[in-house]
Amino acid sequence: MDTNIFGAVDQFINNLFVKEDDALQQTKQAIIDGDLPLISISENQGKFLHILAKLNNPQKILEIGTLGGYSTIWLARALQEGGQLISLELDQHHADVALANISNAGLSNTVKIRVGNALEELPKLKKEGAGPFDVIFIDADKEPYAEYFELSLQLSRPGTLIIADNVVREGKILEENSTDTNVTGVKRFITLLAATKQVTATIIQTVGSKYHDGMALAIVNEIP
């Protein structure tokens, strides 16, 4: 099968349903100009993420992995009036680019970026009483995805929606002896997710301009 059709269909959908505004388009350009990795979610994935978040009528959103702020903007626009989004980012340069993009989108009072290792920042958020969050989006380094999920549960409530991106890895999760830490990290997360009785979860495969991947979706039923 010609995989070029995935990108072509994505563009067809984007033309009908996404219609990025100037702030989103300028964010994508700023990511290129800032020499950040070109690994943001796609336009249609951004709209999908926005819809998922909005269904939960969120007052508080947590994002693990800011990059240039593209997904941050989509998520923040799903918040209730007066809502807040906290995004965790390891790299100061990435955070600086994202802050400029967020300001350009008129969301400076809505979004707070915390720079640091998420494995250290997440326990701090709990200690500070920042949660519970209504929506949590995990899209950072893949090796500690399982730990991000466990810490996210501690910042959740019954009904919290947890979304984790890039969990199919072009089907490489089927490789039993993979030495790719991105793959092994995701596999550890998937195994943990399936065994966690406190959530109702599944994984949806995705294809498009980002090729073959997938998102994990979990609704928290009870706090461990």
Side-chain angles (χ1 to χ4, degrees), residues 14-15 27-28 32 37 53 62 72-73 77 97 107 115 117 125 135 139 147 151 155 159 162 165 201 208 212:
N14 292 341
N15 291 340
T27 293
K28 291 195 299 187
I32 295 170
L62 173 64
T72 315
I73 292 169
R77 288 175 171 176
V97 172
L107 294 167
V115 179
N117 187 320
L125 288 174
V135 176
D139 189 14
E147 288 75 20
L151 291 167
L155 290 162
I162 300 176
D165 198 16
H212 179 207

Side-chain angles (χ1 to χ4, degrees), residues 75-88:
L75 285 167
R77 288 175 171 176
L79 284 161
Q80 296 181 49
E81 185 175 353
Q84 290 287 314
L85 184 151
I86 296 175
S87 188
L88 307 181

Side-chain angles (χ1 to χ4, degrees), residues 82-138:
Q84 290 287 314
L85 184 151
I86 296 175
S87 188
L88 307 181
E89 174 54 49
L90 179 63
D91 187 285
Q92 183 65 60
H93 175 57
H94 295 180
D96 291 341
V97 172
L99 282 168
N101 291 329
I102 288 160
S103 175
N104 188 45
L107 294 167
S108 294
N109 294 328
T110 302
V111 176
K112 180 178 181 181
I113 297 177
R114 293 175 59 139
V115 179
N117 187 320
L119 293 176
E120 298 173 1
E121 293 299 319
L122 290 165
K124 290 179 185 177
L125 288 174
K126 183 181 179 182
K127 187 175 181 180
E128 294 165 11
F133 293 92
D134 306 301
V135 176
I136 299 175
F137 180 48
I138 304 171

Side-chain angles (χ1 to χ4, degrees), residues 3-15 44 207-209:
T3 56
N4 289 328
I5 196 171
F6 299 153
V9 171
D10 243 9
Q11 191 57 55
F12 174 79
I13 293 169
N14 292 341
N15 291 340
N44 193 38
V207 294
S209 60

Side-chain angles (χ1 to χ4, degrees), residues 51-87:
I51 292 170
L52 286 176
K54 199 159 188 174
L55 286 171
N56 226 31
N57 200 28
Q59 186 67 33
K60 292 182 179 181
I61 295 177
L62 173 64
E63 179 182 50
I64 304 172
T66 316
L67 194 63
Y70 185 78
S71 58
T72 315
I73 292 169
W74 277 111
L75 285 167
R77 288 175 171 176
L79 284 161
Q80 296 181 49
E81 185 175 353
Q84 290 287 314
L85 184 151
I86 296 175
S87 188

